[in-house]
Amino acid sequence: MTTSPGSPRRTPAGAAVLREEVTDAIRAAVFEELAAVGFARMSIEGIARRAGVGKTAVYRRWKSKLSLVLDLVGAVAVQGLPAPRTGSLHGDVRALLELAAHALRHPVASQVIPDLLVEAQRNPEIADAIKAALLDGQQGVVAQVVREAVARRELPEGADPDRALDLVVGPLYWRLVVVRGELPPGYLDDLARSAVAALTA
C-alpha cells in the first residue's frame, strides 16, 4: 500500500513515541547518578534503574552515557544565567553573585561540576561542552554587565570582561565548590563590594 504525496502521515505510536515524561525522568536520574558515583562509574544500567525505566528507553534517546551527559551539559548552556539590569555596577555584581551562589549551592551541582571538570581533562568533547555551559554563557553575561557599566561611566573604556568574571565568580566558586564551605552572613555583600572596588581601581 502506498501513500499519496498529499495524504497526511500517520502519527507514530507505541515504541516510536519518545514520551517526554520518560525523557525528563532519565535526565533527572543522570544528575543523581553523576552526584552519587561520578562519570567514570556511571552506567546506563544505573541510570535506567534510578529513572525506573528499561535500558532500551535510554538507548532510544542517547547512544552512550557520554552523549547523554553532553546533551545535559548543552541544555545547561542554552538556559544560561539571566543578565541583571539593576542600574548600577554594584547592583549587577551583587545580583550575579546571588544567582551563581544559588546554582552552586545545589548539592547535585556541587558534586557534578568538579567531577565533569576532571573528566574534561581526559575528554575533549566534555571539555568543549563544559566550556560552553560554564564559561561561555557567564562570559556573555559579565561582558554585558561591563558594557553597561562603561556606558554609565562606572568603568573605563576597555574594561576587561574576563578579569571581571575572575574577580566576581572566582572567589565564590572556590568557596562553594572547592573548599565546600558555608557562606558566612554578609559574604555576598562583602564580595560584591570587593569585586567592584577591584574593577574600578
Side-chain angles (χ1 to χ4, degrees), residues 89 93 96-97 135 138-140 142-143 145-146 154-171 191 193-201:
L89 177 59
V93 167
L96 274 177
L97 286 170
L135 182 59
Q138 290 184 2
Q139 279 181 323
V142 173
V145 168
V146 169
E154 293 179 279
L155 290 177
E157 291 286 346
D160 185 359
D162 288 340
R163 179 171 177 264
L165 181 61
D166 292 344
L167 288 169
V168 174
V169 181
L191 184 55
R193 283 192 293 268
S194 298
V196 170
L199 288 170
T200 55

Side-chain angles (χ1 to χ4, degrees), residues 114-147:
D115 184 64
L116 288 180
L117 288 174
V118 171
E119 293 299 327
Q121 301 300 313
R122 298 188 283 264
N123 190 313
E125 287 183 275
I126 292 180
D128 289 343
I130 289 291
K131 180 178 181 296
L134 298 182
L135 182 59
D136 292 352
Q138 290 184 2
Q139 279 181 323
V141 170
V142 173
Q144 180 174 319
V145 168
V146 169
R147 283 195 302 270

